[in-house]
Amino acid sequence: MNIAIVSAQALTSDTPAIARELARGHRVTVYTRSAAGQPSKGVAMEQVAAGPDVELSESDLLPYLPDFSAGLMRRWREERPDIIHAHSWAGGLAAIAGSEGLGVPVTQTFHGQFHGGQTPVRRLECAIGRQARAVIATCADEESELIRMGVPRRNISVVPSGIDVERFRRQGPSFPRGDRPRLLHVGLGTDPGEIAGSGAATAIGALAAIPDTELVVAGGDDLSIERLRAIAREHGVADRVDLLGPVPHTAMPKLMRSADLVLSLAPTVPTGLAALEAMACGIPVVASAVGAHLDSVVDGVTGFLTRPGRPAETALRIRELLGDVTLRTAMGYAAADRARSRYSLERISMELLRVYERTCA
């Protein structure tokens, strides 16, 4: 197959890794406005000039999408792909316009990131979802949202995010740590105004009820970290909270293997990659019962699901796991088995190929 992947911004999530996996047996070309940070072994990269070569806000991006679409159409008229896979609403809009008259089916992934209300972008999302030949949801919760948007159920396929189970695995080095039990929370929003309701804030609230335990938080920018540090002081746990800021993805396996438990408590979870990567490392997770977590985390088997924004409920589950090494070990093995068997890049790429083949047929 000649597969065209379209993203108006730099690729995020697991898309580059999946593209590399697809390229093992197929021709894969990624078309994007910004080529920054996009090296992919075996994957052809084509930058289509449309506006400045930097990440843009949605309002700044919209005026450049016609140029992006026109550039795609010129490329595809020279060499027609067999299937187009667009990412995000901007990629979908450009792909549908750029493939007009070519007879190439377009598949669409929103990555669970939808706009509410009756905003112009929301209306575009609904139109793209109905016009794409197939829409790929990353979890059952996203499938339900697509149906509410008017996308026919028969056009929706659920294909979850994939992880590199060779990099994220039980065996391997880990970062040094002290004697206290370690909790790791991965993910922190970059809007300081939303930090009070973030998963990291919930983790800090839970830590206040878990003595002699440390919390490490990975992610966030300077402003968000400062707000989180203030929340830790308010709860009287600042001396037990280590705010790392951004952590390179290559370092995450070592960091996760250094923890007794990994927390993923965000109130919205489009892909749930942090929880999946922790599971692959054999670390039980305590995760918010929303979005992709509802599919990936088997409550009471690979970890625990808790209602978002409930520190007391979260603390209860954490204490249960920290106090029972047998339960924690069993959950770790079950988590690693589930991550490897269900969410490997190889399996997810095969599921995507089946969607592509059905769409082309």
Side-chain angles (χ1 to χ4, degrees), residues 9-295:
Q9 305 272 44
L11 292 174
T12 59
S13 186
D14 61 332
T15 306
I18 292 292
R20 288 193 295 270
E21 192 68 29
L22 291 170
R24 292 179 185 272
H26 302 270
R27 181 177 179 185
V28 179
T29 305
V30 174
Y31 298 88
T32 180
R33 285 190 327 101
S34 172
Q38 298 297 315
S40 296
K41 185 177 180 180
V43 178
M45 303 295 301
E46 292 207 21
Q47 185 176 5
V48 180
D53 184 16
V54 294
E55 294 291 293
L56 298 172
S57 67
E58 289 183 345
S59 58
D60 291 335
L61 175 62
L62 196 56
Y64 300 111
L65 290 181
D67 291 339
F68 188 43
S69 301
L72 292 174
M73 181 174 285
R74 287 192 297 271
R75 305 288 179 91
W76 292 339
R77 280 178 174 170
E78 294 173 0
E79 186 171 3
R80 180 183 178 277
D82 298 312
I83 188 81
I84 298 167
H85 189 169
H87 292 265
S88 81
W89 70 268
L93 186 63
I96 289 171
S99 63
E100 186 176 357
L102 299 179
V104 180
V106 174
T107 62
Q108 171 70 32
T109 298
F110 290 104
H111 296 286
Q113 297 172 346
F114 300 107
H115 294 73
Q118 292 300 315
T119 62
V121 174
R122 175 65 172 186
R123 290 193 290 271
L124 282 173
E125 288 171 341
C126 293
I128 292 164
R130 290 191 292 265
Q131 192 166 345
R133 190 79 61 84
V135 180
I136 299 168
T138 55
C139 62
D141 190 58
E142 184 179 349
E143 180 184 28
S144 299
E145 177 63 22
L146 290 168
I147 292 170
R148 287 192 292 269
M149 290 167 57
V151 180
R153 187 187 296 269
R154 65 180 179 275
N155 291 356
I156 303 173
S157 296
V158 178
V159 180
S161 298
I163 54 171
D164 186 344
V165 296
E166 298 307 314
R167 176 180 295 174
F168 291 89
R169 56 191 308 165
R170 292 181 60 253
Q171 300 83 10
S174 63
F175 286 129
R177 49 169 287 181
D179 295 330
R180 291 190 298 193
R182 171 175 287 185
L183 310 175
L184 169 65
H185 188 280
V186 180
L188 177 60
T190 57
D191 184 351
E194 297 178 356
I195 295 303
S198 68
T202 300
I204 289 175
L207 185 69
I210 311 170
D212 301 320
T213 301
E214 66 178 5
L215 171 66
V216 177
V217 179
D221 60 13
D222 292 343
L223 290 175
S224 299
I225 290 172
E226 188 56 39
R227 178 69 185 106
L228 205 59
R229 188 172 285 115
I231 293 173
R233 288 194 295 268
E234 292 168 7
H235 285 279
V237 295
D239 61 326
R240 295 191 284 129
V241 176
D242 188 3
L243 304 172
L244 300 181
V247 175
H249 195 243
T250 53
M252 287 306 299
K254 289 183 180 181
L255 182 59
M256 287 179 169
R257 284 192 289 260
S258 76
D260 295 287
L261 298 175
V262 170
L263 314 179
S264 182
L265 303 172
T268 58
V269 183
T271 62
L273 278 174
L276 285 174
E277 290 169 348
M279 287 166 55
C281 289
I283 310 299
V285 297
V286 177
S288 50
V290 294
H293 287 162
L294 296 172
D295 291 4

Side-chain angles (χ1 to χ4, degrees), residues 266-345:
T268 58
V269 183
T271 62
L273 278 174
L276 285 174
E277 290 169 348
M279 287 166 55
C281 289
I283 310 299
V285 297
V286 177
S288 50
V290 294
H293 287 162
L294 296 172
D295 291 4
S296 59
V297 180
V298 182
D299 190 35
V301 177
T302 67
F304 285 125
L305 292 171
T306 63
R307 290 174 292 178
R310 303 294 179 101
E313 180 181 324
T314 302
L316 182 65
R317 289 306 197 184
I318 293 172
R319 288 198 302 270
E320 181 177 351
L321 281 168
L322 291 180
D324 191 336
V325 65
T326 302
L327 175 62
R328 197 165 69 246
T329 301
M331 281 190 172
Y333 276 102
D337 287 344
R338 177 162 174 76
R340 180 169 290 271
S341 63
R342 177 66 188 94
Y343 296 97
S344 70
L345 294 174

